[in-house]
Amino acid sequence: MSYITIKEAYSSETVYDDPENPQASTTITTYTFYRFNTDSRQVEQETGSYNAYPPAGFSFVGEFWSECSGTTRLGYVHDGAGGFTIEEEEDSLSCGFVPTDPLTCDLVLSVTQTTSVDGTTAEVVATGVNGRARYRLDGGPEQLSPFFYNVAPGAHQADVRDDGLASCRRSVRFVVDPLPPVEPPTGAPEGVDLVGQPRWCQVPAPAGATVLVELWAESAHGADDFTRVFVSQKQASATGVVATRLDSLLWPLLQPVAPPMGAAAGQVQVCRTNLVNYFVRTAVLVPGRVATYETGPLRTALRGALPAEWRHLDYFTYRLDAYAQPPFLTWQPAGQALTPAQPQWLFWLCPAGSPAALTVRRSYVRTGFAGGTPLVEDESVSLSAGRGPAFRLLAIPVKPRPNTDSVSVGLYTAQGESLSPLVSYPMVAETERSRYVCFTNSFGCLDTLRAEGRLDGTLEATATLVDRPPLATDGRAAPTRLTFDVQALRKLKLATGWLTAAEQAWLQELVLAREIWQVHPRLGVLPLAWPKRSLAVGGDEPPLRGMTLEFDYAFDPTAYARF
């Protein structure tokens, strides 16, 4: 008894532990194996499941087994669904039939091409065969199947041999055209998608049709070097829809914005890492035809998310309708006080229709001149390159100054028309306890917390007795190989000091932040390892309006013994 595997089918389902968090998910793959038993002439199935992404499926095409019944040949042909049909060939030369009339070589060949997720499939169609046709492509090994998969673009030759007649061979030449270069959509992106929350692409197609779905994205925002980052082949549902979840595919392509340092910290930066442009390309696959693709609109993916209560709305459209101006990407309450040395940024996502040239205006009220003319500093920004200003993300440094009472920041057109809300910050003096923590907010941009509380620092070390590996230089009376392995941990506890209710609500962003840094006046930007986070946001008793941060630095502890 032997088994012949004729089909391996896989299906996957993504189970989301948190429906609002696409990263908290598990992929469950269900498999079904179809094996033909050569003794019983029946197909046996094996099913099961496991937690992983599914591999590519397998389906045998054409005849997979044969036997003779007298001079009649019985060919077992896979039906594509795990079953089979039996094709009878009477008076088969393969089963000992001897014809009375001499055989002639009447082979006629043709080739059809089909585009699939794996490339081009070539089917060699042979008629006038006396026995069984044997197929060969470009001098390769012979095979019974007339299908050749993933055939490269270029000129090819298919050879067919009729095993019912000696020296009966024919050849046919054909050319596989390269797929036309993918042309991304022209013009500016159509909209922006926050991919820290569910984002679906739904493609209409006839029920049961096979649909090819491709996701194309650029390497960095504005690079315009689109490459295919995902491809799948799915069956349309009974309602005629193929649904693909995009947020979990786009999120890994995006990187956080780190606090700018050096000369870049004092200039407006156009962000390129936490957003990219993308589009979806689809095709309904029909056997025997070259796929015809449809390209969807160009859109911008931003590394961020909205609270659940906002996700049924287009947040930016809502803000434009409600306030007539787009918002800065922060939930930080208004009126936050800054010190002259505080690293602070505002992030602004340019809406559709933004001018290609704009001005960032900083206005300072100098100490002792409250009623006088403010000191105004203008910085020009040009966004004319590439696809224009739509959905470009600007990191705008606030640039507080000493000897001032406040600083205000706003965006204007070249003609002086206001484009954004005017954000004002009162100034306070820096103290010996002023420390600055930057973190990624829920929009994927940067916020800054100034902590004025007490810093408690301890350096803990744990010494473990270990057995070192033996060395060739050890003598017969080898010394003990026991030695101490010391691991050091720097624990830092930083209190924020008194917080308002609005500040406590905003600091939920810090508790949930993915990336956190301390901006050190002497050592620059230091990434923090902060595995435990907590914030008391309410209770029956009046809470102590403060927050304690306990963290370590995210690199070798021996590197910061002097901190």
Side-chain angles (χ1 to χ4, degrees):
M1 180 178 64
S2 62
Y3 288 93
I4 300 174
T5 299
I6 61 175
K7 186 177 178 65
E8 294 180 358
Y10 300 89
S11 62
S12 63
E13 178 185 6
T14 302
V15 178
Y16 295 94
D17 305 323
D18 180 358
E20 302 298 335
N21 182 4
Q23 282 71 49
S25 63
T26 303
T27 299
I28 300 176
T29 292
T30 301
Y31 64 85
T32 304
F33 296 156
Y34 300 83
R35 297 188 177 97
F36 178 77
N37 188 323
T38 58
D39 285 355
S40 66
R41 275 62 163 185
Q42 298 294 324
V43 174
E44 301 176 7
Q45 296 185 24
E46 176 188 345
T47 60
S49 62
Y50 56 89
N51 295 345
Y53 285 99
F58 163 77
S59 180
F60 197 100
V61 178
E63 182 182 299
F64 58 86
W65 195 67
S66 65
E67 61 180 345
C68 292
S69 176
T71 59
T72 299
R73 185 180 185 279
L74 305 178
Y76 291 74
V77 179
H78 183 213
D79 61 8
F84 62 88
T85 59
I86 299 178
E87 296 182 355
E88 296 185 2
E89 181 188 346
E90 297 181 353
D91 300 333
S92 173
L93 298 175
S94 302
C95 293
F97 175 73
V98 179
T100 57
D101 297 327
L103 300 177
T104 59
C105 186
D106 300 319
L107 278 176
V108 178
L109 307 181
S110 62
V111 177
T112 61
Q113 300 180 31
T114 303
T115 303
S116 70
V117 65
D118 297 317
T120 299
T121 298
E123 179 187 5
V124 182
V125 180
T127 59
V129 182
N130 294 297
R132 304 298 298 174
R134 308 284 177 163
Y135 302 88
R136 183 197 306 265
L137 180 66
D138 296 333
E142 282 190 342
Q143 62 182 49
L144 285 172
S145 173
F147 294 92
F148 295 92
Y149 301 97
N150 199 19
V151 181
H156 300 273
Q157 177 176 309
D159 300 303
V160 178
R161 179 175 65 88
D162 183 352
D163 67 0
L165 181 62
S167 302
C168 183
R169 303 173 185 270
R170 292 289 187 272
S171 299
V172 60
R173 292 181 177 273
F174 64 97
V175 175
V176 175
D177 293 329
L179 293 176
V182 175
E183 296 292 340
T186 58
E190 182 182 89
V192 62
D193 301 313
L194 295 170
V195 295
Q197 61 194 44
R199 170 68 181 170
W200 290 89
C201 170
Q202 296 192 349
V203 181
T210 301
V211 179
L212 187 66
V213 180
E214 298 179 347
L215 175 63
W216 292 73
E218 54 189 0
S219 61
H221 192 240
D224 237 22
D225 55 348
F226 291 92
T227 57
R228 191 175 69 177
V229 297
F230 173 79
V231 59
S232 71
Q233 190 169 300
K234 297 184 176 182
Q235 303 296 122
S237 65
T239 58
V241 173
V242 171
T244 304
R245 190 162 180 178
L246 299 180
D247 51 280
S248 56
L249 302 173
L250 290 165
W251 181 274
L253 306 179
L254 306 175
Q255 300 297 322
V257 177
M261 295 302 295
Q267 298 176 350
V268 175
Q269 301 293 315
V270 179
C271 299
R272 303 189 66 211
T273 61
N274 61 336
L275 71 169
V276 293
N277 291 329
Y278 77 94
F279 64 91
V280 175
R281 200 170 73 132
T282 61
V284 177
L285 301 182
V286 179
R289 298 183 186 176
V290 177
T292 301
Y293 287 90
E294 293 186 7
T295 301
L298 186 70
R299 298 187 64 86
T300 299
L302 177 62
R303 189 182 189 263
L306 292 173
E309 60 268 23
W310 290 94
R311 292 182 181 177
H312 66 290
L313 298 173
D314 184 314
Y315 173 71
F316 304 101
T317 301
Y318 165 78
R319 286 294 297 262
L320 282 170
D321 292 341
Y323 301 101
Q325 289 179 323
F328 289 103
L329 300 188
T330 180
W331 296 107
Q332 190 170 12
Q336 287 287 92
L338 306 182
T339 68
Q342 182 162 337
Q344 187 80 25
W345 293 270
L346 288 170
F347 286 77
W348 194 68
L349 188 67
C350 301
S354 295
L358 52 84
T359 299
V360 175
R361 180 165 297 164
R362 302 176 182 89
S363 179
Y364 301 89
V365 176
R366 292 172 289 181
T367 303
F369 297 89
T373 302
L375 178 63
V376 176
E377 176 190 276
D378 286 348
E379 182 178 354
S380 298
V381 180
S382 175
L383 300 175
S384 58
R387 294 179 180 266
F391 306 114
R392 303 280 285 274
L393 182 63
L394 303 182
I396 304 170
V398 175
K399 297 174 64 174
R401 288 185 174 187
N403 303 318
T404 58
D405 291 337
S406 67
V407 57
S408 301
V409 181
L411 275 78
Y412 298 85
T413 67
Q415 293 74 33
E417 298 176 359
S418 176
L419 293 172
S420 74
L422 185 66
V423 181
S424 298
Y425 298 92
M427 301 295 296
V428 296
E430 188 175 39
T431 70
E432 293 181 354
R433 293 186 175 182
S434 295
R435 297 176 180 88
Y436 308 103
V437 175
C438 293
F439 59 94
T440 303
N441 63 24
S442 58
F443 290 109
C445 302
L446 289 177
D447 278 343
T448 303
L449 169 69
R450 188 184 81 256
E452 295 286 351
R454 187 182 64 192
L455 175 67
D456 293 332
T458 59
L459 181 63
E460 297 181 355
T462 303
T464 306
L465 198 62
V466 297
D467 187 5
R468 67 168 175 81
L471 302 175
T473 55
D474 291 340
R476 295 184 62 184
T480 177
R481 296 200 304 269
L482 295 178
T483 185
F484 281 99
D485 180 35
V486 180
Q487 292 184 344
L489 173 66
R490 182 87 167 188
K491 274 190 176 180
L492 300 168
K493 294 183 180 180
L494 178 61
T496 63
W498 188 268
L499 298 175
T500 65
E503 288 172 332
Q504 283 207 111
W506 164 63
L507 279 183
Q508 295 180 65
E509 297 264 288
L510 177 55
V511 175
L512 301 174
R514 295 176 180 272
E515 298 85 21
I516 309 171
W517 303 267
Q518 180 187 3
V519 180
H520 195 282
R522 178 171 52 87
L523 300 171
V525 177
L526 307 175
L528 304 185
W530 189 13
K532 184 178 180 181
R533 316 170 187 190
S534 63
L535 173 67
V537 295
D540 293 334
E541 299 296 330
L544 175 62
R545 294 190 184 278
M547 183 179 186
T548 300
L549 320 179
E550 181 174 341
F551 57 89
D552 187 15
Y553 292 108
F555 44 85
D556 190 344
T558 59
Y560 57 88
R562 294 179 297 168
F563 287 7

